[in-house]
Amino acid sequence: MKVLLLGSGGREHALAWKLAASPLLTKLYAAPGNPGIAQQAELVALDISNHVAVAGFCRDMKIDLVVVGPEAPLVAGIADDLRAAGIRMFGPSKAAARLEGSKGFTKDLCARFDIPTAAYGRFDNLAAARAYVEKVGAPIVIKADGLAAGKGVTVAMTLAEALDGLNACFDGSFGSAGAEVVVEEFLTGEEASFFCLCDGTTALPFGTAQDHKRVGDGDIGPNTGGMGAYSPAPVMTPEIIERTMREIIEPTMRGMAELGSPFAGVLFAGLMIDENGPKLIEYNTRFGDPECQVLMMRLKDDLLVLLNAAADGQLSHMSVRWRDEAALTVVMAAQGYPGAPEKGSVIRGIDGERGDGTQIFHAGTAINAGALVANGGRVLNVTATGATVGEAQRQAYAAVDRIDWPQGFCRRDIGWRAVEREAGR
């Protein structure tokens, strides 16, 4: 099979690494890719927002399957345009991708189909949103309705923070994503990420993870796209997984079909778990980043076989096997992130001897004058496996410490909840 992978981050490097291991694969292309992905794929200078150009490349190269990594092309309808051109796709339609593209759409779906989630209000003007926030009080959560690269959420512990979050949305800080706002009840409990592969009818459970959104140790500071993750998530017990499927995933699949937008692709549920069970925080319609990196490290089965089955509507015949080991990834970011990251600093020491079970996925790198340099906010995903989360954590940080990049930084406590559980604390 010839496969085209769209995207350029750490998630896409992990997907490329796993796809490249498939005996079914004859050729892997990636657009636009990055220097890490270039180790597994031929990079193509395609503008992935130009769907006509992508379709033309697929026809010329006789591509058998297109796999889309990031959310923006899906929300823009690339799956519809490629399928209309007769090209096989793994990823949801534009209508189905509204589950990520509009937080308000998802909240309304939850209300209609009785899916447990936080109480909420939707607003398209500052005055009404402000009045609602002042009435409800803090803590409260402010979310830009549209895509904001993981940065359009304010978890406000005070009324002043909530009002600042509203102002940021309505003053254009997140572009058109903030033209409408969802204001949500503040949920307490433990967050977890739950994934399913979907083919429009069947949702096949595809692993659990927990990520760390805050930039600083101890989960402090501003939200980021994710500073690290580990899998599996201990809080996702067999009982919680069964309830998540029954109370959240399956009603969503039925509801989307009823709305005429059956969901096919990756359904990524961000959950809050408390003593009453799981509640949906939000949906994403692609693999998480950096959760994908730890899932790919643990996946026993051939990813390409599974994605093919999803594209063909055959997931009811499939199962998924996982390695017993835990996996953990540490994001190394450029100074300034999550604000304006410093680009261009040279990274050394990632090609030397590494411990068993360790992979370094490139998230935001480039080659400049023959040197590997930082070219984004989140730059490297240092990923390791171990018999426990604690062992995977030690392996990952040992690999971090072998990297020579003074201008980079990372959290030093990724996986702390699971490590404390393992220690009986």
Side-chain angles (χ1 to χ4, degrees):
M1 289 186 65
K2 293 182 179 179
V3 176
L4 172 63
L5 172 65
L6 302 184
S8 62
R11 164 184 48 221
E12 288 76 36
H13 189 186
L15 291 171
W17 174 77
K18 195 66 180 175
L19 288 168
S22 173
L24 292 181
L25 187 75
T26 54
K27 182 72 176 181
L28 179 61
Y29 297 95
N34 65 39
I37 295 172
Q39 298 166 19
Q40 281 92 26
E42 180 179 330
L43 303 191
V44 183
L46 271 177
D47 175 2
I48 65 175
S49 67
N50 184 340
H51 301 177
V52 173
V54 174
F57 175 83
C58 292
R59 281 193 296 267
D60 291 346
M61 295 295 127
K62 297 181 170 55
I63 297 297
D64 297 298
L65 182 70
V66 177
V67 178
V68 182
E71 61 273 20
L74 296 169
V75 171
I78 193 167
D80 308 75
D81 292 340
L82 293 184
R83 288 187 180 113
I87 296 158
R88 289 177 77 245
M89 264 292 307
F90 175 76
S93 67
K94 181 176 183 176
R98 286 179 295 173
L99 284 170
E100 178 163 7
S102 170
K103 293 178 176 64
F105 171 82
T106 295
K107 299 298 287 190
D108 288 351
L109 181 91
C110 290
R112 177 170 174 177
F113 294 100
D114 199 26
I115 297 165
T117 190
Y120 73 104
R122 292 181 71 177
F123 304 95
D124 60 7
N125 70 89
L126 177 60
R130 185 182 180 110
Y132 181 87
V133 167
E134 288 175 340
K135 178 182 176 183
V136 174
I140 200 165
V141 181
I142 312 297
K143 294 181 177 180
D145 179 74
L147 298 181
K151 298 172 187 173
V153 177
T154 301
V155 180
M157 303 311 292
T158 67
L159 186 60
E161 288 175 341
L163 297 178
D164 286 346
L166 287 178
N167 290 333
C169 288
F170 286 112
D171 72 10
S173 293
F174 307 113
S176 60
E180 186 173 327
V181 168
V182 172
V183 181
E184 286 188 347
E185 168 194 12
F186 175 79
L187 297 178
T188 58
E190 188 168 347
E191 289 189 47
S193 302
F194 181 69
F195 299 85
C196 290
L197 299 183
C198 306
D199 64 8
T201 303
T202 299
L204 180 67
F206 194 78
T208 67
Q210 284 183 299
D211 76 335
H212 298 258
K213 287 294 187 196
R214 302 279 188 166
V215 73
D217 285 14
D219 295 316
I220 62 171
N223 271 336
T224 70
M227 293 300 292
Y230 56 94
S231 175
V235 72
M236 293 299 292
T237 63
E239 179 196 1
I240 293 295
I241 289 173
E242 187 276 330
R243 286 190 59 183
T244 300
M245 290 299 296
R246 174 167 44 87
E247 298 173 16
I248 297 175
I249 302 298
E250 290 166 6
T252 298
M253 294 292 286
R254 290 193 299 270
M256 292 300 288
E258 186 175 316
L259 294 175
S261 309
F263 188 88
V266 179
L267 190 57
F268 164 10
L271 304 173
M272 184 68 79
I273 317 296
D274 65 13
E275 64 275 6
N276 297 314
K279 284 187 177 179
L280 180 71
I281 301 172
E282 64 184 15
Y283 273 130
N284 296 309
T285 60
R286 37 70 190 182
F287 285 111
D289 190 349
E291 294 96 335
C292 182
Q293 290 83 315
V294 290
L295 291 176
M296 292 304 108
M297 292 287 279
R298 293 187 58 238
L299 179 62
K300 258 188 180 181
D301 289 308
D302 187 325
L303 178 65
L304 187 49
V305 169
L306 292 165
L307 301 190
N308 265 318
D312 291 339
Q314 297 296 315
L315 283 178
S316 63
H317 306 299
M318 305 300 290
S319 60
V320 183
R321 296 174 302 158
W322 299 97
R323 302 188 192 284
D324 293 334
E325 296 96 336
L328 183 142
T329 190
V330 176
V331 171
M332 296 191 73
Q335 293 294 340
Y337 181 78
E342 299 173 10
K343 296 185 179 181
S345 55
V346 176
I347 304 165
R348 300 180 179 88
I350 73 168
D351 295 321
E353 184 70 22
R354 296 202 296 270
D356 290 342
T358 302
Q359 292 289 333
I360 297 176
F361 297 117
H362 292 228
T365 63
I367 300 295
N368 184 11
L372 185 72
V373 299
N375 192 43
R378 295 186 296 169
V379 177
L380 298 173
N381 305 142
V382 184
T383 314
T385 57
T388 63
V389 175
E391 184 178 318
Q393 182 193 61
R394 288 190 293 275
Q395 291 270 41
Y397 281 113
V400 165
D401 291 338
R402 290 194 292 269
I403 295 171
D404 178 10
W405 182 32
Q407 296 82 6
F409 76 96
C410 66
R411 283 183 55 165
R412 301 297 304 195
D413 65 346
I414 300 302
W416 66 266
R417 284 189 184 87
V419 173
E420 285 191 352
R421 267 196 179 96
E422 289 169 358
R425 294 199 292 270

